[in-house]
Structure formats: C-alpha cells, structure tokens
Amino acid sequence: MTNGLHGPTLTLKAHAKINLSLDVLHKRRDGYHHLCMIMQEISLHDEVHLKLTPVPGIRLTTNTGFLPVDEGNIAWKAAERLARGAGVSLEKQGVAIHIDKQIPVAAGLAGGSADAAAVLKGLNALWRLGLSLEELQLISLPLGADIPYCLMGGTALAEGIGERLTPLTLAKPFWVVLVKPPVSVSTREVYEALKLDEIEERPDTLALIEALAQADSPTMAGAMANVLETVTIPLVPEIGELKRRLLAFNATASLMSGSGPTVFGLFKDQEKARAAGEKLKRLYREVHVVHTLRRSQ
C-alpha cells in the first residue's frame, strides 16, 4: 500500500479462472441451477488500481472503450455494496478505480468477477475494515456466483450456485493455452437451453479430484467434462474444432470454460504449450499461454 497524491493507493492482480469440470445437477425452485464444478485459478490477470480520494463517490475508468464505467460494472457495484455494508460514507470521501483489462470479456473466464473480488479485497485493506475472507464472500454473493471463488482462488470444488467452496489439492501445476473465438455467448441463454435429461457425458468429479491430488494426467483427462458444451458447441461448432486442434497440438486435455466460448488445452510443459500457442495465434487474435496458480499466490 502506498500513498498517492490524494490518499492511499493499492494495485491488485485479478486472476482469471477456468473450469476443469462443470456439471449441472438440477434446476432449483428459485430458477438457478445447482452446479458441481472444479475451478482453477490461472496466471492471466487484470490489474485493478484503487485510490482513496477527497472527491465523493466512485469513479471508475478502464483501458478499454467498451466496458461500463458506472453501476453497470460489477466492480463498481462491489465498491458500492461494501461501502454500504461497512458504513463507509461515499458522500464524504471517494474511491477511484482503474481496471487495466487483459482477461477477454464475456469469455467464460470470470474476468468481471475477478475485478469485483479485487475491489473488495483492496477496499477492505484501504478502509481498514478487517473483514475476513468469509465475510467478504457473503457480501459478494448477491453480485455474482463466481465472486466468492475469485476471492479465494486456487483450486476448488464449487457447489450450489457456486458459493459452496471446498479447497482442493493441485499436486503439480500445468500450462494452459486459452483461445477465445471471435464470437459472444449469452450465459443466460445457454443455461435456458440446457436439457438436463439429454446429457450423456458428465464429469467424474471424485475421480478428477483424486487425479489432481496425484498428478495423474490420463485419469484427469478422462474425468473432465463440461455439460454446457451440449448447448454451446451446436451454436458455435468452432468450439469443437478448437478442442480437436488443441489435442492435436499435444494438449493432454481440452475443454470449454464456463458457458464459453473460450476453449483451453492443458499441457505438461511450457515448451509444448508455447508451440501450440504460436500455431493458434496464426488463426485467432485472442490466444494466451498461461499457467495454473495455487491459492497462496
């Protein structure tokens, strides 16, 4: 934490996530879906800069021209909700938030949720609130189901709507090649079109948890699945083609993250990952070669 011209400042990394598995068990009475999925933090990140200012209110800026910079941005909502819940008057003081965006938008990588989590962590420190991780997660849940996980990070089993989190062991880190096709997918529409009674391939969650703990790549590859692919791949056949390309380029496993459209491949070493990334960069603009993170990083 440093002191800027008008008050303390803080810069945090907001890391993206991928889904190593995603299963939808049933639709709840409240309209949400009951999920069972394994989330993994990766090194791709936005940078969130926070500064306390004497100017009242929340001022949000980004390095892009297409993100909302008002209450339409989940990071803005996170700051407002934390201030209201903690009794911080934004009429007497303000906060400036700048998001340096690197995570692809609307990509199934929880970029917006990661930014919101960083804002909550950062303002908890700048305002000296002393809130625990669990308290921040409780505050964040109404804003988005991925935010509690983004606050925690690492490798985790997420259940319910994503709020019930169990940390998992990742015995060996791996390299990840991300590719986002130049299309957009509506998460809401994907879930609405999901036919639970027609799903034939589901992840083997228990086997995957064990494989992660034992660094058993073959078992891991066989246990991974994302049931939302049954909706998104027919809408965007390119996703299926990308999975095949990544496997042909020596990925040990390939899957769509979240509701898509981003596809990732897992690689045992950096050299193979970078070689695959270079080939895919000839075809796609948004390609990232990154690696997994453990919770402590």
Side-chain angles (χ1 to χ4, degrees):
M1 193 183 302
T2 61
N3 287 314
L5 292 175
H6 301 294
T9 65
L10 195 59
T11 297
L12 299 95
K13 293 179 179 178
H15 288 107
K17 63 83 185 170
I18 55 175
N19 292 87
L20 298 179
S21 70
L22 196 160
D23 201 2
V24 180
L25 304 182
H26 59 82
K27 191 169 184 178
R28 304 179 354 163
R29 291 180 179 177
D30 60 8
Y32 289 98
H33 288 80
H34 188 94
L35 307 175
C36 180
M37 52 192 177
I38 294 179
M39 316 270 267
Q40 176 60 56
E41 185 181 10
I42 56 176
S43 56
L44 177 64
H45 64 272
D46 296 341
E47 280 195 350
V48 178
H49 305 270
L50 300 167
K51 180 187 290 187
L52 301 187
T53 74
V55 180
I58 301 166
R59 184 167 60 90
L60 176 65
T61 56
T62 77
N63 65 327
T64 73
F66 54 82
L67 287 178
V69 291
D70 53 17
E71 60 271 16
N73 190 303
I74 194 171
W76 193 102
K77 290 179 181 178
E80 194 275 335
R81 181 171 174 80
L82 182 62
R84 187 172 68 247
V88 175
S89 174
L90 291 173
E91 296 178 356
K92 297 180 179 179
Q93 60 178 304
V95 58
I97 305 168
H98 179 75
I99 300 174
D100 185 358
K101 199 75 185 162
Q102 302 300 322
I103 303 171
V105 176
L109 300 172
S113 294
D115 295 340
V119 167
L120 291 171
K121 285 181 181 179
L123 291 181
N124 185 40
L126 288 173
W127 288 337
R128 303 183 187 276
L129 301 177
L131 296 173
S132 67
L133 170 63
E134 291 74 18
E135 288 171 319
L136 289 175
Q137 288 174 325
L138 190 62
I139 289 168
S140 75
L141 184 57
L143 297 174
D146 284 340
I147 304 177
Y149 165 75
C150 290
L151 283 162
M152 186 178 79
T155 313
L157 172 68
E159 300 174 278
I161 61 170
E163 85 286 5
R164 287 166 40 202
L165 298 166
T166 305
L168 299 176
T169 299
L170 179 65
K172 185 178 180 180
F174 42 82
W175 286 84
V176 183
V177 176
L178 299 170
V179 186
K180 180 183 182 290
V183 295
S184 296
V185 176
S186 166
T187 298
R188 176 176 292 182
E189 289 177 7
V190 169
Y191 275 98
E192 287 176 350
L194 183 65
K195 295 180 172 60
L196 291 173
D197 56 344
E198 295 182 8
I199 295 173
E200 296 180 357
E201 181 185 4
R202 294 181 180 272
D204 187 338
T205 304
L206 293 178
L208 182 52
I209 291 171
E210 183 68 19
L212 289 168
Q214 300 296 326
D216 181 351
S217 294
T219 299
M220 185 176 163
M224 291 169 58
N226 180 345
V227 301
L228 298 184
E229 288 183 353
T230 61
V231 177
T232 311
I233 289 179
L235 291 173
V236 187
E238 193 171 4
I239 291 171
E241 177 59 29
L242 261 174
K243 290 179 63 178
R244 289 187 287 272
R245 283 182 185 271
L246 282 160
L247 292 171
F249 293 158
N250 297 309
T252 59
S254 182
L255 204 66
M256 182 182 78
S257 186
S259 58
T262 299
V263 177
F264 66 87
L266 304 182
F267 292 80
K268 290 182 178 180
D269 60 68
Q270 183 179 7
E271 184 179 349
K272 288 181 180 178
R274 292 202 180 281
E278 288 304 313
K279 292 176 183 176
L280 288 162
K281 284 177 182 177
R282 300 169 193 163
L283 303 171
Y284 295 94
R285 187 173 64 86
E286 292 190 275
V287 178
H288 300 270
V289 180
V290 298
H291 56 83
T292 57
L293 295 175
R294 291 192 171 97
R295 187 178 174 187
S296 60
Q297 292 180 262

